[in-house]
Amino acid sequence: MHTPRVIYLVSSPYGDIPADRNRWDLPLEGDPLQTSYKTYFHAIKDFLTQDGFNHLLGTIGDMLGRHMYLRDVNELIIRSEKHGALYHPASIDINLKEGTVKFGLLVAVTDTGRASLKEEFSVIRQLNDTCNLPYLPKVYRFFESDTMSFLFEEWFDGYHEFHISQDSEGKQTTKLWEFGTGYKNLSQEQTFEIYKKASKILTLYYDLEDFKEICPWHHAAGDFIVKTEDDNKLNVRLSTARRYEPIMHFEED
């Protein structure tokens, strides 16, 4: 039986780093449970290969519009992307005979993170169904094991986080974290454009009838991500929607 090769990587600002198996017992950054990288990577592999890869092949087939067979998959690349307060996101490269498809995978290990991820799956699925907008990722599958929860979703390729920083002269600037190529300082005009488009996204998802909105969100947490085009134009997407509810409440109409 054909079995695709599995490669484990850790993302960095200047390129991927092969996961060092001599250091697999180190805990994930920011995880109070001290989950090791070995446990993390192996749990992701188990999730992807469930039921003889059938769930994964079905998702790829839906994306490509054809039936997929395991022999079509040459390689899986599991890449640890970052570590947040709630999740430990990874990207998944599926190397096929005709090219590569890429997905995102949110992994939660704490009780708080797992509860949040379950709600996020429900919220994003609801917003994608009702609003039919392209700014949130498509969500394909949510799964809970005894120790972890997983949300398999669309990967916005070429999009990166941005953060407030300082330039070499100590002046405040906005820096785009283009993982793989390094950091890039954005102009004031580009920064304004990012916030303008982020505001547009939040407004488009706002419900004028019952005042529901995407919340909470934070520009410094990687919630909004940015892609630079060849003509220096910027595209903005929203990577998460943890809740969708009114922040104003009225006792009568």
Side-chain angles (χ1 to χ4, degrees):
M1 177 181 174
H2 170 71
T3 302
R5 184 170 66 147
V6 181
I7 296 176
Y8 304 100
L9 300 174
V10 178
S11 180
S12 85
Y14 300 101
D16 292 330
I17 301 172
D20 187 347
R21 299 199 178 194
N22 294 323
R23 304 177 68 187
W24 267 24
D25 290 332
L26 290 176
L28 300 175
E29 287 86 339
D31 176 24
L33 301 181
Q34 299 287 288
T35 306
S36 70
Y37 270 92
K38 180 180 180 180
T39 301
Y40 171 77
F41 277 125
H42 283 182
I44 292 176
K45 178 186 175 183
D46 290 344
F47 166 75
L48 295 173
T49 60
Q50 273 182 345
D51 193 24
F53 292 83
N54 281 339
H55 292 294
L56 180 63
L57 293 174
T59 303
I60 299 172
D62 290 342
M63 174 184 288
L64 299 181
R66 67 177 180 86
H67 188 79
M68 295 294 300
Y69 299 94
L70 187 55
R71 63 177 179 267
D72 297 324
V73 181
N74 295 326
E75 186 177 71
L76 303 180
I77 298 177
I78 302 172
R79 183 183 295 101
S80 174
E81 290 286 350
K82 61 176 288 189
H83 304 279
L86 295 173
Y87 313 138
H88 301 272
S91 63
I92 312 297
D93 289 353
I94 315 293
N95 291 333
L96 308 172
K97 293 179 180 179
E98 68 267 40
T100 300
V101 294
K102 191 167 186 173
F103 298 94
L105 181 66
L106 299 182
V107 183
V109 297
T110 64
D111 289 343
T112 301
R114 296 182 69 176
S116 177
L117 190 59
K118 186 173 185 178
E119 183 172 6
E120 182 165 335
F121 170 65
S122 176
V123 168
I124 294 179
R125 184 170 58 177
Q126 172 196 351
L127 290 173
N128 284 343
D129 289 342
T130 58
C131 299
N132 193 29
L133 294 169
Y135 301 108
L136 283 168
K138 297 175 183 176
V139 288
Y140 300 113
R141 186 174 176 231
F142 176 77
F143 176 77
E144 294 178 294
S145 70
D146 292 338
T147 58
M148 296 186 191
S149 297
F150 305 89
L151 175 54
F152 198 50
E153 64 179 13
E154 179 184 8
W155 177 265
F156 286 139
D157 200 26
Y159 285 82
H160 305 280
E161 296 182 20
F162 64 96
H163 295 272
I164 305 301
S165 184
Q166 289 184 336
D167 61 18
S168 58
E169 299 177 354
K171 296 180 180 179
Q172 180 174 295
T173 184
T174 301
K175 188 167 289 187
L176 189 63
W177 289 17
E178 289 190 322
F179 267 34
T181 60
Y183 301 108
K184 177 181 180 181
N185 287 323
L186 301 176
S187 66
Q188 289 186 344
E189 292 77 13
Q190 288 175 312
T191 301
F192 179 80
E193 187 69 15
I194 290 174
Y195 283 97
K196 177 182 177 182
K197 290 185 174 180
S199 299
K200 173 185 176 180
I201 291 171
L202 291 173
T203 302
L204 288 171
Y205 284 106
Y206 187 76
D207 191 318
L208 292 172
E209 292 188 3
D210 55 18
F211 313 112
K212 288 182 180 178
E213 60 183 271
I214 293 174
C215 64
W217 60 268
H218 200 288
H219 72 278
D223 292 356
F224 287 99
I225 49 179
V226 180
K227 181 179 182 179
T228 56
E229 302 292 354
D230 293 337
D231 55 4
N232 284 328
K233 289 185 178 180
L234 301 175
N235 288 325
V236 178
R237 293 289 184 270
L238 181 56
S239 66
T240 181
R242 297 182 187 91
R243 294 200 302 273
Y244 189 62
E245 59 191 20
I247 62 173
M248 298 182 296
H249 298 276
F250 302 95
E251 295 182 358
E252 56 186 55
D253 290 340

